[in-house]
Amino acid sequence: MAVTTPQAGTKRVVIDRVEPQVDAGLYPVKRVVGELITVTADVLCDGHDMLRVVARYRRGSKGRWNEVAMTDQGNDRWGASFSVDEVGPWEYTVVAWVDHLLTWREGLRKKAAAGIVEEVDLLVGADHLRTVAERGSGSAARLLAEAAAFLEERSNLLQSRIDRALDAGVIQAVDRLPDRTNAVTLATPLQVWVDRKLAGFSAWYELFPRSATDNVHRHGTFRDVINRLPYVSRLGFDILYLPPIHPVGVTARKGKNNAVTAGPDDPGSPWAIGSKEGGHRGIHPQLGTLKDFRALVAAAKEAGLEIALDIAFQCSPDHPWVTEHPQWFVQRPDGSVQYAENPPKKYQDIYPLNFESPDWKALWEELRDIFLYWIAQGVTVFRVDNPHTKSFPFWDWVIAEVHHQDPTVIFLAEAFTRPRRMYRLAKGGFTQSYTYFTWRNTPAELQEYLTELTRGAPAEFFRPNFWPNTPDILHEDLQSGGRAAHVARFILASTLSSNYGIYGPVFELQESTPARPGSEEYLNSEKYEIHSWRLDETYSLAPLISAVNGIRRTNPALQSNRNLRFHSVDNNRLLCYSKSTDEGDNVILVCVNMDYQNGQSGWVEFSPAAVGLEQKLPFVVRDLLTGISYTWQDTWNYIALRPADVAAHIFVLETV
Amino acid sequence: MAVTTPQAGTKRVVIDRVEPQVDAGLYPVKRVVGELITVTADVLCDGHDMLRVVARYRRGSKGRWNEVAMTDQGNDRWGASFSVDEVGPWEYTVVAWVDHLLTWREGLRKKAAAGIVEEVDLLVGADHLRTVAERGSGSAARLLAEAAAFLEERSNLLQSRIDRALDAGVIQAVDRLPDRTNAVTLATPLQVWVDRKLAGFSAWYELFPRSATDNVHRHGTFRDVINRLPYVSRLGFDILYLPPIHPVGVTARKGKNNAVTAGPDDPGSPWAIGSKEGGHRGIHPQLGTLKDFRALVAAAKEAGLEIALDIAFQCSPDHPWVTEHPQWFVQRPDGSVQYAENPPKKYQDIYPLNFESPDWKALWEELRDIFLYWIAQGVTVFRVDNPHTKSFPFWDWVIAEVHHQDPTVIFLAEAFTRPRRMYRLAKGGFTQSYTYFTWRNTPAELQEYLTELTRGAPAEFFRPNFWPNTPDILHEDLQSGGRAAHVARFILASTLSSNYGIYGPVFELQESTPARPGSEEYLNSEKYEIHSWRLDETYSLAPLISAVNGIRRTNPALQSNRNLRFHSVDNNRLLCYSKSTDEGDNVILVCVNMDYQNGQSGWVEFSPAAVGLEQKLPFVVRDLLTGISYTWQDTWNYIALRPADVAAHIFVLETV
């Protein structure tokens, strides 16, 4: 431990344990525009001197600091809040100093109350006031100099001198001219990354463009997707996410239901990217042209939708890079290229990129340029396929690079992997993340998981995006639970998490046959074949989805996750939780029956007091799904939910 | 957020959340010689490649690193332990890399089991082995080159080639020559401060040297203290701590029982330091000479005791610094020096030092030199008075300076203040700290407090030192609880905390009359007058103290705090807890009745299994205070403790 003499031993304040921070400032805290940052810190000084503490914050790392006073919350903890109103990097720090004048003034108050003010106490104060006056100018300086002289003048009555010292005008003038000579601050400011609002509140809809057809024998096109936009928009989604749109490989192409060999008409998996028609900048010819794609992006925007592309950094054996940049792949001694494997499993149709390539720099730059290329085509949302099979430092870098050019870009990490890897990707910059939601299948499991996500360390950097299904995941609950399970899982996803998505139209049409018993793969998966869907089936969940998305948009309580509270219920198949705005002017209570076979009833502990409101009993809750109002008399209230109905309530608390 | 291209994009491993650390490495973790450091870290890499992770550690910050392999504990958490065997600063870090050969070897095993090894798999392995061989030399390199050739030779049987690849000799040779080209490590190593064993396990005895007299009219001397050493040694203490030994001020001297004016024979408070006879380097003439003091230090050493001095950085108005260094004090406009005050309270006999003095550098150096001066006289333990009323950065600096010269020095912080200030002093370097023990007066309060100290963040940096009494604190429990309370509080202090102390002889003689009702001050406190004590009273707790200190010395379980476990008991006036060695060869169970008026009995949940041992039921515990053994049949066992006896058990588990 090197021993060094500090530069300024007169600085006595120490600042410790500043929150919020992620791994001591190694990674930025995340917020969306308009959100609050509530800074707290231990601020300590020896003895009894009084402190001033401020939080400073700014967009970027160079401009002028904004400042907000922190207040003493007791036990040496100080706090203040500020809001961030612009997308991009922010930073904040804490500044603190001993305020001798304040110490003196508070001492004078106490001595005056005890009747023990001495002459010298007023002389000390006069010195303080004069020093402050010298820092100022104009009328404030004059006021303070006069006050100092008044305090020193023994012919004035003692009480009038004390009154002058404690005069509101003097205090105000003094507080505007603090002595920060011995102020201390953090060695390094703490980082914040601010995203646009869509990063924190979004509803995603995934569809296979080639299945946007009226006929399984005709490959769907971008033009078909344009025709589908009114439907997706009517359902109330914000983002339309497309699986990879690039040319599909031919070599080792998979057939229907992941068959090892494809039939002559099988279209292959869109994730087997690259053919002689192009790679990650190419468009699969059967989908249309770049012009068509740009038309889709524009039409989507018109319909209130953003197009999200799937970025999967892997190659089919036919990808142009395999011959153009052989050094980006692992070459084997027999001259072949290493395909993906997880022994004993082999995936011959996929060549992974080699992030240890000596040519890594060119590789990284090319991958970055792919993002920039699609951003240039109007895309600002990316769903990244399996990021946990590509280098973490690469993601840190590429997201920073892209955000440097356009801080509004949203990255969704599709990493279904171990928790610390998922969290690390989020720390490194991913805007949103897939989660374990699909595999949390009881009220207790969901409560535990959501508590970790919204109250634990991840709340500062990990934004969950809940999906009841994906093209890879048809959970057993959906297979066996039918419509009731689809309804419940949809309402859970869309109200527990401010960001959620579904893979349609299979979801709203409740397709739920697995590829084989015990599998989470869909039978006849769209990953390997073209489907054509009848969207107007009477059993479709489209009306419910549309209603819930409408409820999400009109109730700001549902647009955040930090505000999630669980409420006790005396039936362990029921899950009850609320979300409320900071101001308490919008409170939503959701109750879901997670028994998809049987009706369940119980008593839930919910009242305005449970969410911090002063509103008295009885109170009224209105179910936004049915419009029915209930007057609840007590803090424990009865609910009954049957799978044959929509087995959930989305109540709004009627405020008085 | 600046965007920078990393130096080596081929490094794919990331290391996160390394423990132990204090505030992300801002302060060192504390240990004593011989203790373990168990390092854990999240070590992550994309994909399925296998990792190697090692912890590196060294004394100081320059020498050769020692290395220990970390093992995968599941869920991306890795761990290893090492012990620190020398006093002073240490540092440690984590190094991790992808081991492609290991990845290949484990893949080969799985493919071999599935019968799908291909020719190219062996060629890949041969390449790996040859690369490793090139890093090595001698027989290992030859062995690997031969193995590579064997793997490539198609005329060899496939199985024999696989066997050769997995041959133990080949694996050993390979593992000794790892490829660390892409190894990553922490940006900055984490700091550890290692103290000598006494820092972690010590029993302190405080006495006023001037009261080591046979006659209140004769001021006790260092020679008297030398005569007292056999008594203190017989009681089993390690450290004899003396209140300040410096010349006592005359101006504004306090009289008996803190009277505002002293009588002509009142000796004054030893904490009013400094007179015309000297300051912090001086010795109060009535105690003896420097030579006498050195004789005391030597005699104490002979008796197995270290002398601890009280360092109180404050001055009586008569201290030489007041005239020699007026700039070290706050000078008031009327020419007077600012005395200590906490309005409306005033302490005219104490001048605080001004840590914002423009001459702070000279002040700091002088204060450091006072420590060094007493160290030169043989003192290596200091009890620091009210450190929280002196600048925190000063303590950080001065402790580092002293430790730089002598890392064996022990600093005990006497800071009875708010928790974050106490913890900050410990982070900044104090070896041990006074605590709130005295004011934790029920089993539930003690359990909560000890859990925070031994399981929470403070466990890494804050070493509690428990005192049932001090010259400033005679707790109401001792006032009203008499002998039973003294016994219980003594056993709690000495067995809950590996470091503890008592202020005697008042403690063993159970003096317990307060200065006035509701006060925690002793009546006729030794702080303001000389006492003479009869140490051989039959009611003295000396025999119990001697026994317990002996038990502490012979039972290593009581020499640590990390190993503390609380055990459920069905009576909330009883507190039961155990401590056990890592090896489980010494297990102590302590049961204390905290009702000082009534006998209490109950059932305690304790069995070898409760402390992680496999020993079967029934089992035997032996009370080390009485020698009586009990055979306990079950996991819940009955105890009964009456205040008239020693209302505590200190059981040792008889191992089979």
Side-chain angles (χ1 to χ4, degrees):
Chain A
M1 205 175 317
V3 174
T4 52
T5 305
Q7 288 307 298
T10 52
K11 299 187 175 189
R12 295 157 51 211
V13 181
V14 292
I15 304 170
D16 250 7
R17 298 173 58 244
V18 183
E19 298 286 346
Q21 43 87 352
V22 179
D23 293 0
L26 204 54
Y27 309 102
V29 167
K30 290 204 191 100
R31 288 294 185 276
V32 297
V33 164
E35 270 190 314
L36 279 185
I37 296 187
T38 298
V39 179
T40 54
D42 291 355
V43 184
L44 311 171
C45 183
D46 59 282
H48 304 290
D49 287 336
M50 302 200 69
L51 303 182
R52 298 280 190 179
V53 187
V54 299
R56 315 186 92 188
Y57 58 100
R58 62 183 171 191
R59 169 86 170 57
S61 57
K62 294 217 183 69
R64 224 172 55 84
W65 288 103
N66 304 288
E67 204 167 277
V68 55
M70 295 177 74
T71 54
D72 187 352
Q73 304 180 333
N75 235 335
D76 300 308
R77 196 79 182 156
W78 293 69
S81 295
F82 59 88
S83 85
V84 282
D85 55 10
E86 200 182 325
V87 170
W90 287 65
E91 61 181 22
Y92 79 90
T93 189
V94 174
V95 179
W97 64 95
V98 173
D99 189 328
H100 290 291
L101 206 150
L102 182 60
T103 305
W104 167 79
R105 185 202 298 157
E106 296 308 311
L108 185 70
R109 260 192 238 281
K110 288 175 188 160
K111 288 178 184 172
I116 57 164
V117 175
E118 292 175 35
E119 189 61 35
V120 68
D121 293 321
L122 293 162
L123 298 183
V124 168
D127 271 7
H128 280 309
L129 292 178
R130 197 166 289 114
T131 311
V132 180
E134 282 160 14
R135 278 201 298 280
S137 62
S139 64
R142 230 169 11 251
L143 176 83
L144 294 174
E146 283 165 17
F150 190 87
L151 260 61
E152 282 173 336
E153 181 48 56
R154 285 171 188 250
S155 67
N156 294 323
L157 282 177
L158 183 73
Q159 188 57 48
S160 69
R161 292 155 78 195
I162 293 171
D163 290 346
R164 184 66 167 266
L166 302 177
D167 174 78
V170 170
I171 291 175
Q172 270 177 31
V174 159
D175 286 356
R176 272 197 295 270
L177 296 164
D179 177 9
R180 299 196 182 186
T181 315
N182 286 323
V184 300
T185 188
L186 304 184
T188 318
L190 289 157
Q191 307 298 314
V192 181
W193 178 264
V194 179
D195 288 297
R196 57 187 170 130
K197 281 181 187 288
L198 189 67
F201 176 59
S202 61
W204 295 53
Y205 187 81
E206 174 175 6
L207 66 74
F208 280 78
R210 67 191 183 192
S211 292
T213 176
D214 48 8
N215 172 353
V216 297
H217 302 296
R218 186 180 68 77
H219 194 286
T221 66
F222 291 141
R223 294 280 154 197
D224 292 309
V225 178
I226 290 175
N227 293 333
R228 184 65 57 88
L229 291 173
Y231 172 80
V232 179
S233 174
R234 212 159 48 235
L235 259 54
F237 288 97
D238 308 302
I239 296 172
L240 175 59
Y241 148 48
L242 312 179
I245 59 172
H246 315 300
V248 176
V250 175
T251 304
R253 175 180 283 191
K254 296 292 172 69
K256 290 191 174 64
N257 286 305
N258 203 21
V260 175
T261 39
D265 298 329
D266 286 340
S269 162
W271 283 274
I273 294 170
S275 75
K276 63 180 186 337
E277 282 130 348
H280 284 77
R281 296 171 199 235
I283 286 177
H284 188 63
Q286 290 176 281
L287 286 171
T289 63
L290 181 60
K291 198 175 150 203
D292 294 337
F293 178 73
R294 294 179 67 128
L296 168 59
V297 170
K301 198 166 180 184
E302 201 69 27
L305 287 161
E306 295 197 37
I307 296 293
L309 281 195
D310 190 314
I311 296 293
F313 284 139
Q314 57 192 24
C315 299
S316 105
D318 310 318
H319 195 291
W321 290 343
V322 176
T323 46
E324 291 168 13
H325 299 283
Q327 71 280 21
W328 291 355
F329 303 88
V330 173
Q331 303 293 334
R332 303 200 293 183
D334 65 351
S336 65
V337 174
Q338 177 68 61
Y339 46 78
E341 54 178 10
N342 186 12
K345 289 191 220 156
K346 302 180 175 193
Y347 309 92
Q348 289 96 334
D349 58 332
I350 299 292
Y351 287 177
L353 292 163
N354 176 17
F355 282 85
E356 292 188 15
S357 166
D359 195 32
W360 62 270
K361 213 161 166 178
L363 170 63
W364 284 25
E365 283 166 3
E366 171 62 11
L367 300 182
R368 174 200 58 197
D369 292 347
I370 287 165
F371 281 112
L372 298 179
Y373 174 81
W374 291 109
I375 289 168
Q377 313 314 321
V379 178
T380 48
V381 183
F382 297 97
R383 178 270 197 193
V384 175
D385 189 79
N386 277 332
H388 59 293
T389 61
K390 289 96 198 172
S391 161
F392 293 100
F394 163 70
W395 291 119
D396 299 350
W397 175 84
V398 80
I399 292 173
E401 284 271 311
V402 171
H403 273 163
H404 192 61
Q405 305 233 1
D406 183 349
T408 70
V409 175
I410 289 172
F411 295 88
L412 167 63
E414 188 247 5
F416 292 110
T417 180
R418 296 189 295 273
R420 290 183 171 98
R421 310 214 299 178
M422 293 174 63
Y423 289 147
R424 178 58 179 77
L425 289 163
K427 289 177 187 177
F430 277 93
T431 320
Q432 300 182 356
S433 306
Y434 283 71
T435 68
Y436 305 136
F437 166 72
T438 321
W439 302 282
R440 296 295 179 271
N441 307 105
T442 66
E445 285 171 2
L446 278 174
Q447 180 164 349
E448 185 189 355
Y449 188 44
L450 268 294
T451 301
E452 175 181 330
L453 295 181
T454 62
R455 305 271 162 176
E460 296 297 346
F461 60 83
F462 183 88
R463 286 203 197 91
N465 190 326
F466 279 7
W467 290 70
N469 76 327
T470 77
D472 299 316
I473 311 167
L474 168 64
H475 189 271
E476 203 277 332
D477 272 6
L478 297 184
Q479 297 174 27
S480 64
R483 180 186 179 87
H486 280 74
V487 167
R489 297 298 298 181
F490 171 74
I491 289 179
L492 289 167
S494 59
T495 60
L496 279 170
S497 173
S498 57
N499 295 300
Y500 87 102
I502 59 170
Y503 154 51
V506 304
F507 187 81
E508 60 265 32
L509 297 178
Q510 302 143 61
E511 286 288 317
S512 52
T513 312
R516 50 193 181 281
S519 167
E520 290 191 343
E521 287 286 334
Y522 277 93
L523 179 66
N524 305 326
S525 169
E526 286 185 293
K527 291 192 287 188
Y528 312 107
E529 59 188 279
I530 295 172
H531 280 250
S532 170
W533 302 101
R534 287 202 46 180
L535 302 176
D536 55 356
E537 299 286 3
T538 52
Y539 58 81
S540 170
L541 296 180
L544 176 73
I545 292 168
S546 186
V548 171
N549 278 333
I551 290 167
R552 281 167 45 95
R553 285 193 178 164
T554 50
N555 288 276
L558 292 171
Q559 298 171 14
S560 170
N561 294 329
R562 277 171 219 282
N563 55 359
L564 178 67
R565 276 193 187 88
F566 288 95
H567 298 280
S568 300
V569 55
D570 64 351
N571 179 332
N572 70 5
R573 308 304 298 273
L574 299 176
L575 183 63
C576 299
Y577 49 94
S578 70
K579 288 187 167 187
S580 44
T581 51
D582 289 345
E583 302 74 22
D585 55 352
N586 182 226
V587 179
I588 297 290
L589 172 70
V590 181
C591 304
V592 181
N593 177 7
M594 292 185 68
D595 180 342
Y596 311 129
Q597 272 69 46
N598 306 293
Q600 294 286 352
S601 62
W603 293 82
V604 56
E605 186 177 25
F606 177 85
S607 65
V611 294
L613 297 180
E614 296 196 356
Q615 205 175 321
K616 293 225 172 9
L617 301 175
F619 60 99
V620 177
V621 293
R622 181 163 48 89
D623 189 335
L624 294 168
L625 293 170
T626 62
I628 299 173
S629 290
Y630 302 79
T631 300
W632 281 359
Q633 304 290 338
D634 214 328
T635 55
W636 286 86
N637 297 290
Y638 182 77
I639 53 170
L641 294 164
R642 301 186 316 157
D645 312 328
V646 168
H649 291 297
I650 304 180
F651 290 121
V652 65
L653 174 67
E654 298 281 14
T655 44
V656 284
Chain B
M1 206 173 320
V3 175
T4 52
T5 304
Q7 288 308 297
T10 52
K11 300 188 175 189
R12 294 158 51 210
V13 181
V14 292
I15 304 171
D16 250 7
R17 297 174 59 244
V18 183
E19 297 285 346
Q21 44 88 350
V22 179
D23 293 1
L26 203 55
Y27 309 101
V29 167
K30 289 204 191 98
R31 289 294 185 275
V32 296
V33 163
E35 271 190 314
L36 280 185
I37 295 187
T38 298
V39 179
T40 54
D42 291 356
V43 184
L44 310 172
C45 183
D46 59 283
H48 304 290
D49 287 336
M50 302 199 68
L51 304 182
R52 298 280 189 178
V53 187
V54 299
R56 316 187 90 187
Y57 57 100
R58 63 182 170 190
R59 168 89 171 57
S61 57
K62 295 218 180 68
R64 222 174 54 83
W65 288 104
N66 303 288
E67 205 167 276
V68 55
M70 295 176 73
T71 54
D72 188 351
Q73 304 179 334
N75 234 335
D76 299 309
R77 195 80 183 157
W78 294 70
S81 294
F82 59 89
S83 85
V84 282
D85 56 10
E86 200 182 323
V87 170
W90 288 64
E91 61 180 22
Y92 79 92
T93 189
V94 174
V95 179
W97 64 95
V98 173
D99 188 329
H100 289 292
L101 207 149
L102 182 61
T103 305
W104 166 79
R105 184 202 298 157
E106 296 308 312
L108 185 70
R109 261 191 237 281
K110 288 176 188 159
K111 287 178 185 172
I116 56 165
V117 174
E118 292 175 35
E119 189 61 34
V120 68
D121 292 322
L122 294 161
L123 298 182
V124 168
D127 271 7
H128 279 309
L129 292 178
R130 197 166 289 112
T131 311
V132 179
E134 283 161 12
R135 277 200 298 279
S137 64
S139 63
R142 228 166 16 248
L143 176 84
L144 294 174
E146 283 166 19
F150 191 87
L151 261 61
E152 281 174 337
E153 183 46 59
R154 284 170 187 254
S155 67
N156 293 324
L157 281 177
L158 184 71
Q159 188 58 48
S160 70
R161 293 156 77 197
I162 294 171
D163 291 345
R164 184 67 166 266
L166 302 177
D167 174 77
V170 170
I171 290 175
Q172 270 175 33
V174 158
D175 286 356
R176 272 197 295 270
L177 296 164
D179 177 8
R180 299 197 182 184
T181 316
N182 285 324
V184 300
T185 188
L186 304 184
T188 316
L190 289 158
Q191 307 299 314
V192 181
W193 178 263
V194 179
D195 287 298
R196 57 187 170 128
K197 282 182 187 285
L198 189 66
F201 175 59
S202 61
W204 295 53
Y205 187 80
E206 174 176 6
L207 65 75
F208 280 77
R210 67 190 182 192
S211 292
T213 176
D214 48 9
N215 172 353
V216 297
H217 302 297
R218 187 179 68 77
H219 195 286
T221 67
F222 291 141
R223 293 281 153 195
D224 293 310
V225 178
I226 290 175
N227 293 332
R228 184 65 57 86
L229 291 173
Y231 172 80
V232 179
S233 176
R234 211 156 52 233
L235 260 53
F237 288 96
D238 309 301
I239 295 172
L240 174 59
Y241 147 49
L242 311 179
I245 59 170
H246 315 301
V248 177
V250 175
T251 304
R253 175 178 285 189
K254 295 292 172 73
K256 291 190 173 66
N257 286 302
N258 203 20
V260 175
T261 40
D265 298 329
D266 286 342
S269 162
W271 283 274
I273 294 171
S275 75
K276 64 182 186 333
E277 281 128 349
H280 284 78
R281 295 171 200 234
I283 287 177
H284 188 64
Q286 289 176 284
L287 287 171
T289 64
L290 181 61
K291 199 176 152 202
D292 295 337
F293 178 73
R294 295 179 68 128
L296 169 58
V297 170
K301 199 167 182 183
E302 201 68 26
L305 287 160
E306 295 196 38
I307 296 294
L309 281 194
D310 189 313
I311 296 292
F313 283 141
Q314 57 192 23
C315 299
S316 103
D318 310 318
H319 196 291
W321 290 343
V322 177
T323 46
E324 289 168 15
H325 300 283
Q327 71 280 19
W328 291 355
F329 302 88
V330 173
Q331 302 294 334
R332 303 200 293 183
D334 65 351
S336 65
V337 174
Q338 178 68 59
Y339 46 77
E341 54 176 8
N342 186 10
K345 288 191 221 156
K346 303 180 175 193
Y347 308 92
Q348 288 97 333
D349 57 333
I350 300 291
Y351 287 177
L353 292 163
N354 176 18
F355 283 85
E356 292 188 16
S357 167
D359 194 33
W360 62 270
K361 215 161 166 177
L363 171 63
W364 285 25
E365 284 166 1
E366 171 63 11
L367 299 181
R368 174 198 59 197
D369 292 347
I370 287 165
F371 281 113
L372 298 179
Y373 175 80
W374 290 108
I375 291 168
Q377 313 314 322
V379 178
T380 48
V381 182
F382 296 97
R383 177 269 197 193
V384 176
D385 189 78
N386 277 330
H388 59 292
T389 61
K390 288 96 199 173
S391 160
F392 293 101
F394 163 70
W395 291 118
D396 299 351
W397 175 84
V398 80
I399 293 173
E401 285 270 311
V402 170
H403 273 164
H404 192 61
Q405 306 233 3
D406 184 349
T408 69
V409 176
I410 289 172
F411 296 88
L412 166 63
E414 187 247 7
F416 293 110
T417 180
R418 297 189 295 271
R420 291 183 171 99
R421 311 214 297 177
M422 293 175 64
Y423 289 147
R424 177 59 180 77
L425 289 164
K427 290 177 186 175
F430 277 93
T431 320
Q432 301 182 354
S433 306
Y434 283 71
T435 68
Y436 305 137
F437 167 70
T438 321
W439 302 281
R440 296 294 180 271
N441 308 103
T442 65
E445 284 172 2
L446 278 173
Q447 179 162 349
E448 184 189 355
Y449 187 44
L450 269 294
T451 301
E452 173 182 331
L453 294 181
T454 62
R455 305 271 162 176
E460 296 297 347
F461 60 83
F462 182 89
R463 287 203 197 91
N465 191 325
F466 279 6
W467 290 70
N469 76 325
T470 77
D472 298 317
I473 311 168
L474 167 65
H475 190 270
E476 202 278 332
D477 273 6
L478 297 184
Q479 297 174 28
S480 64
R483 180 186 179 88
H486 280 74
V487 168
R489 298 298 299 181
F490 171 75
I491 289 178
L492 289 167
S494 58
T495 60
L496 279 170
S497 174
S498 57
N499 296 301
Y500 88 101
I502 59 169
Y503 154 52
V506 303
F507 187 81
E508 60 266 32
L509 297 178
Q510 303 143 60
E511 286 288 317
S512 52
T513 312
R516 49 190 183 283
S519 167
E520 290 192 342
E521 288 285 332
Y522 278 94
L523 179 65
N524 305 327
S525 170
E526 285 185 294
K527 290 191 287 188
Y528 312 106
E529 59 191 280
I530 295 171
H531 280 249
S532 170
W533 303 101
R534 286 204 48 180
L535 301 177
D536 55 355
E537 300 285 5
T538 53
Y539 57 81
S540 172
L541 296 180
L544 175 73
I545 292 168
S546 187
V548 171
N549 278 331
I551 290 168
R552 283 168 43 97
R553 285 194 179 163
T554 51
N555 289 277
L558 291 172
Q559 298 172 13
S560 170
N561 294 329
R562 278 170 218 282
N563 55 357
L564 179 67
R565 276 193 188 88
F566 288 95
H567 298 280
S568 299
V569 56
D570 64 351
N571 178 332
N572 71 5
R573 307 305 298 273
L574 299 176
L575 183 63
C576 299
Y577 49 93
S578 70
K579 289 187 167 187
S580 44
T581 52
D582 289 346
E583 301 75 23
D585 55 352
N586 182 226
V587 180
I588 298 291
L589 172 69
V590 182
C591 303
V592 181
N593 176 8
M594 291 186 70
D595 180 343
Y596 311 128
Q597 272 69 46
N598 307 294
Q600 294 285 352
S601 62
W603 293 82
V604 54
E605 186 177 25
F606 176 85
S607 66
V611 295
L613 297 180
E614 295 195 357
Q615 205 177 320
K616 293 228 171 8
L617 302 175
F619 60 100
V620 176
V621 293
R622 180 163 49 87
D623 190 334
L624 294 168
L625 293 170
T626 62
I628 300 172
S629 289
Y630 302 79
T631 300
W632 280 0
Q633 305 289 340
D634 213 328
T635 56
W636 286 87
N637 298 290
Y638 181 78
I639 53 170
L641 294 164
R642 301 187 315 156
D645 313 327
V646 169
H649 291 299
I650 303 180
F651 291 121
V652 65
L653 174 66
E654 299 281 14
T655 44
V656 285

